[in-house]
Amino acid sequence: MKVICVIPARYASTRLPGKPLKLIGGKPMIQRVYEQAKKAARPAEVIVATDDSRVYDAVIAFGGCACMTREDHPNGTSRLAEVAEKYPDADIIVNVQGDEPMIPPEIIDRLADAFVKEPDLKMATMKAPMEEREYDDPSAVKVVTDKNGYALYFSRSLMPYPRNRSELFKVYKHVGIYAYTRTFLMKYAAMEPTPLEQVESLEQLRVLENGYKIKVLESDFRGIGVDTPEDLEAVNKLFEQSGK
């Protein structure tokens, strides 16, 4: 089973322009993400997917592998599928967000291993216990699963609703790292947008609305995405404290 890891990296971020090239501990953010992904044991290759020559050149400069993609992709899945087309020998595609400089390599391996344990699996992602301060934050996506660990729904609203709070009331945050079989990724990217996907602005709902399952693995990693200058400052402080 050949696994490849793809890291989408767009230069034109609205809240943090030039985000992939912002420095974290003296290195461009995309390099930090790439180096973390390279520590994973499962991927045979790690590729940065970008539509900007500045990001491409930066990746090549630090010795990484990069792939130029079209600028007109409607979403990240479409961009990922373009890269997957160029790797017909890949069985599993793991999609790591380009703004997660502290992504644990073991998460990448766990997602890839899920397809070994369940040969019929088509797609997998992660969840982590959510902090109460995020319950009413629409940018913190919630996920509920069935007893077998498959997603029932993703939402920006609080789920489940605690009509009677008890020890059963647990809220899980969706961690935005995905893995797909290459075959399913190509099919998923060709699907039309669905009503719930458009209402919630959550692309993964398209999979559920079309009747497919998503395996959701649990982790303690909640994600430390860098979307704003404040996020960048906070992550730099963490790197300073870690001495990396």
Side-chain angles (χ1 to χ4, degrees):
M1 183 180 76
K2 182 175 180 179
V3 179
I4 65 171
C5 181
V6 181
I7 308 170
R10 291 181 64 251
Y11 188 89
S13 169
T14 303
R15 291 185 288 176
L16 191 61
K19 180 164 67 171
L21 303 185
K22 296 297 184 184
L23 296 182
I24 296 177
K27 293 181 180 181
M29 177 159 55
I30 191 59
Q31 183 174 354
R32 291 289 183 185
V33 180
Y34 188 93
E35 289 176 350
Q36 286 298 100
K38 287 290 285 184
K39 294 176 185 176
R42 277 290 186 180
E45 298 181 62
V46 177
I47 305 119
V48 174
T50 184
D51 58 1
D52 193 284
S53 60
R54 289 165 289 190
V55 177
Y56 179 91
D57 291 343
V59 174
I60 299 303
F62 66 69
C65 176
C67 175
M68 285 294 293
T69 59
R70 303 193 316 271
E71 296 182 2
D72 60 347
H73 284 291
N75 50 55
T77 304
S78 175
R79 189 178 308 281
L80 196 67
E82 181 187 347
V83 177
E85 286 178 359
K86 301 175 183 180
Y87 291 85
D89 60 336
D91 299 299
I92 304 298
I93 314 291
V94 180
N95 178 14
V96 173
Q97 300 302 316
D99 59 2
E100 287 279 1
M102 303 182 80
I103 185 78
E106 57 270 21
I107 282 183
I108 298 172
D109 289 334
R110 282 188 62 201
L111 282 171
D113 286 339
F115 292 83
V116 177
K117 296 174 182 176
E118 298 185 44
D120 293 332
L121 197 62
K122 292 178 172 60
M123 180 175 173
T125 188
M126 303 289 298
K127 69 177 182 179
M130 179 174 278
E131 296 178 6
E132 189 169 352
R133 63 179 175 80
E134 295 179 298
Y135 285 2
D136 297 319
D137 181 358
S139 66
V141 178
K142 294 80 179 173
V143 59
V144 289
T145 58
D146 66 17
K147 290 182 178 181
N148 296 313
Y150 287 93
L152 292 172
Y153 195 64
F154 297 86
S155 182
R156 297 183 183 279
S157 299
L158 179 62
M159 300 189 306
Y161 178 77
R163 184 175 181 182
N164 297 302
R165 283 193 182 242
S166 69
E167 69 277 2
L168 297 177
F169 176 61
K170 294 180 181 179
V171 182
Y172 287 94
K173 181 176 183 177
H174 176 228
V175 180
I177 176 172
Y178 300 94
Y180 320 79
T181 63
R182 180 181 181 275
T183 302
F184 181 69
L185 172 61
M186 306 306 289
K187 182 183 293 187
Y188 172 30
M191 294 175 186
E192 292 295 321
T194 51
L196 292 175
E197 170 194 357
Q198 293 175 308
V199 169
E200 294 260 17
S201 190
L202 294 175
E203 204 176 333
Q204 64 270 33
L205 288 174
R206 187 188 314 172
V207 176
L208 301 184
E209 287 185 85
N210 278 283
Y212 295 98
K213 291 185 174 182
I214 303 175
K215 186 75 173 187
V216 185
L217 307 181
E218 185 172 347
S219 168
D220 289 333
F221 179 69
R222 292 179 174 84
I224 309 175
V226 180
D227 292 315
T228 65
E230 292 75 22
D231 293 338
L232 183 65
E233 183 180 354
V235 170
N236 263 298
K237 286 181 179 179
L238 287 175
F239 270 84
E240 287 175 13
Q241 292 168 3
S242 66
K244 294 182 179 181

